[in-house]
Amino acid sequence: MTTLPTSRLPTGEPVLTTDVVGTDFGLPLVRPAKSRQDGRVRVVRSHCRAHGGVVVWFTDGTKTPPLHGRTTWVLAGPEPGAGTPAREVA
């Protein structure tokens, strides 16, 4: 299980988040998930510093409340045990 801190999340990285835990001005809020079973995969659109921490925005329109920059995220890589996809020969 690979993790990254909020301050180092690259754009386009799939991470595990919780289901929606609330709203902020009508936008759904999510938090980092601790495991693959608890999590839902979302793709990072951007992150920015805000009053009180760092806010992460996702491509599906959700975001986080301000988080500490050292909060870690579980990267949603390939499923454990999954092989590489077979190449299609044309």
Side-chain angles (χ1 to χ4, degrees):
M1 179 170 29
T2 307
T3 61
L4 275 178
T6 301
S7 59
R8 304 218 28 195
L9 276 178
T11 300
E13 186 70 52
V15 297
L16 296 177
T17 68
T18 61
D19 285 327
V20 175
V21 295
T23 60
D24 181 28
F25 295 103
L27 296 172
L29 294 175
V30 296
R31 294 190 182 277
K34 296 185 185 346
S35 71
R36 189 172 290 279
Q37 287 129 347
D38 300 337
R40 179 174 171 171
V41 176
R42 288 192 166 85
V43 178
V44 175
R45 185 178 76 186
S46 64
H47 60 86
C48 63
R49 294 186 54 128
H51 182 73
V54 177
V55 175
V56 180
W57 295 81
F58 298 99
T59 56
D60 65 352
T62 58
K63 69 174 198 164
T64 65
L67 301 169
H68 193 280
R70 289 186 297 231
T71 300
T72 58
W73 294 83
V74 177
L75 301 183
E79 291 289 328
T84 57
R87 293 177 89 184
E88 191 173 306
V89 179

